[in-house]
Amino acid sequence: MEEKIKAFLKEIETFTTEKQQEIEDFRIRLLSRKGQIPALFEEFKKLGGEEKRKYGKSLNELKQKAQAKIDDLRAGASKDGETGERFDLSRPASAGFMGSRHPVNLVKNEIVDIFKRIGFNVSEGPEIEDDWHNFTALNFPEEHPARDMQDTFFVARNPEWALRTHTSSVQVRAMEANKPPIRTISPGRVFRNEAISARSHCIFHQVEGLYIDKSVSFADLKQTLLYFAREFFGKDTRIRLRPSYFPFTEPSAEMDVYWGLENEVDYRMTKGTGWLEVMGCGMVDPNVLENCGIDPNEYSGYAFGMGVERIAMQRYQISDIRYLFENDIRFLEQFHTAL
Ligand code: PHE
């Protein structure tokens, strides 16, 4: 018995090959059910108690060594054509997972780029604002409904603080910190205490713009918005301006883009008018300029602001705003190609 074990150990130690077939033959000869090592176990069963004690352990070790050797040989087996089941070097690589930009960011970046090209810079400000920057400096009357608990999230610890309801607050900061000419856009996240539905959310994003200089006119505003609409929606895009109201602009307007009425989706998106509402705008109210330390007799300016989610929903035909906040990978993956 001892001799045989020794002989096998020696064979296991010295045997070597890189060929899959030879490794398999070796395994079958030594370890398969009718192989030499199981045969040795059969012999072992017939031994007396004394000898069993002597060889049991080394026999088990022999079996383990044989298996370990085969595992080793397999790991180092040749990868050439003849035995190459393990690696097919001609196989195309499997695609790795690639992250993608969020559709809100894609649209926001595009809007920002369009305005950067005509000399606007980007300004940012805090999401938690004080009453002055979000409302008072912007000419909101004391009793204006937008200040109500219904529209604004206030900070419980300090009722002077609120989550900004628009990024016009950033424009106040820009006017306070800079001398005209000021040409800036402020993209960012805003918050309103609204019921969440397919069409509206309590969190969304805006891009607002501000231009202050000597003798800025409504015609400048209109031309800038037309430029934007044509860059963003296509070169033949038509726009219209409808009278509107904001406390911080006078006159105020709402800009629509002509979308068309060719199918059912167009009807739904434009409420049957063919026109898409895109943004609010107007000439900065002289009170606002004064509040921010700019002389309204010397300077004038325009401002505009748009919601990014709504434009992203139009662009990508997204039917429910909540998709934009759920981070469901199956939804987000669809924007891979939009990188
Ligand atoms: N701040 C306005 C809003 O949140 C948008 C706006 C900005 C309108 C600038 C006019 C001028 O709806």
Side-chain angles (χ1 to χ4, degrees):
M1 182 57 80
E2 196 171 336
E3 296 291 287
K4 286 183 184 164
I5 293 177
K6 268 197 188 140
F8 277 126
L9 280 174
K10 182 143 194 183
E11 191 187 343
I12 289 167
E13 205 172 296
T14 52
F15 179 75
T16 181
T17 178
E18 285 193 356
K19 294 218 166 83
Q20 298 270 9
Q21 192 54 53
E22 287 180 13
I23 298 170
E24 184 58 7
D25 292 344
F26 182 68
R27 185 190 70 80
I28 290 170
R29 182 160 62 78
L30 290 187
L31 285 176
S32 69
R33 211 151 46 80
K34 292 195 172 144
Q36 291 170 326
I37 291 176
L40 214 53
F41 272 88
E42 288 304 316
E43 268 179 52
F44 169 79
K45 276 187 198 160
K46 293 178 198 135
L47 295 176
E50 181 70 19
E51 283 190 301
K52 264 198 177 139
R53 228 168 294 128
K54 199 164 159 200
Y55 296 122
K57 191 163 163 241
S58 43
L59 205 53
N60 275 323
E61 275 171 10
L62 172 68
K63 192 177 159 190
Q64 280 162 12
K65 280 198 174 134
Q67 188 57 55
K69 176 77 180 196
I70 287 159
D71 292 346
D72 271 3
L73 289 171
R74 281 181 176 161
S78 141
K79 304 158 186 94
D80 66 25
E82 185 202 339
T83 54
E85 307 98 301
R86 281 167 22 95
F87 292 98
D88 175 0
L89 296 182
S90 64
R91 196 181 137 201
S94 47
F97 177 77
M98 249 239 284
S100 57
R101 287 202 192 286
H102 193 282
V104 166
N105 267 332
L106 288 170
V107 168
K108 185 198 79 184
N109 290 345
E110 198 177 327
I111 298 169
V112 167
D113 281 347
I114 290 171
F115 285 104
K116 271 188 177 168
R117 292 205 283 275
I118 52 170
F120 282 77
N121 64 21
V122 176
S123 43
E124 289 185 355
E127 292 182 351
I128 299 177
E129 266 296 4
D130 49 38
D131 178 86
W132 171 257
H133 291 96
N134 198 75
F135 295 123
T136 303
L138 288 161
N139 204 32
F140 277 80
E142 205 54 58
E143 69 292 356
H144 194 282
R147 295 181 181 224
D148 269 10
M149 299 298 284
Q150 274 162 22
D151 284 306
T152 309
F153 288 114
F154 289 93
V155 174
R157 204 146 54 88
N158 183 345
E160 268 293 295
W161 292 342
L163 301 184
R164 66 182 179 197
T165 59
H166 50 190
T167 56
S168 305
S169 56
V170 182
Q171 306 187 333
V172 172
R173 290 177 179 277
M175 287 187 276
E176 286 173 341
N178 299 288
K179 295 238 160 305
I182 296 169
R183 235 186 270 109
T184 192
I185 48 170
S186 36
R189 186 158 50 168
V190 302
F191 309 84
R192 288 189 199 171
N193 194 357
E194 278 176 30
I196 297 173
S197 72
R199 304 294 310 165
S200 66
H201 207 286
C202 58
I203 303 173
F204 58 99
H205 296 76
Q206 286 188 323
V207 178
E208 296 213 352
L210 175 74
Y211 175 35
I212 311 277
D213 203 348
K214 291 192 169 137
S215 61
V216 175
S217 72
F218 199 88
D220 296 324
L221 169 62
K222 204 171 155 185
Q223 195 58 34
T224 306
L225 297 186
L226 180 64
Y227 155 79
F228 165 74
R230 293 193 161 166
E231 290 291 305
F232 191 86
F233 293 97
K235 67 177 175 28
D236 299 319
T237 301
R238 284 191 287 142
I239 64 168
R240 74 176 182 189
L241 293 168
R242 281 180 292 114
S244 184
Y245 174 79
F246 299 101
F248 35 89
T249 47
E250 181 59 35
S252 304
E254 204 74 49
M255 184 191 86
D256 299 343
V257 159
Y258 191 70
W259 183 260
L261 264 185
E262 270 159 36
N263 54 43
E264 212 188 304
V265 176
D266 294 347
Y267 267 87
R268 217 178 323 127
M269 275 174 57
T270 66
K271 300 184 189 121
T273 64
W275 292 90
L276 273 182
E277 284 178 31
V278 173
M279 67 173 101
C281 60
M283 301 306 292
V284 180
D285 193 293
N287 290 342
V288 174
L289 294 178
E290 215 165 290
N291 288 341
C292 301
I294 293 171
D295 181 358
N297 297 315
E298 202 179 339
Y299 294 103
S300 58
Y302 63 68
F304 55 86
M306 64 195 110
V308 181
E309 276 76 4
R310 200 140 57 88
I311 298 176
M313 287 167 75
Q314 287 156 2
R315 163 148 300 188
Y316 300 117
Q317 306 266 298
I318 298 165
S319 56
D320 191 318
I321 194 170
R322 288 169 289 199
Y323 286 131
L324 295 169
F325 295 95
E326 282 167 355
N327 287 332
D328 184 329
I329 212 84
R330 293 166 301 177
F331 170 78
L332 295 175
E333 265 174 358
Q334 299 175 76
F335 299 91
H336 274 165
T337 51
L339 265 179

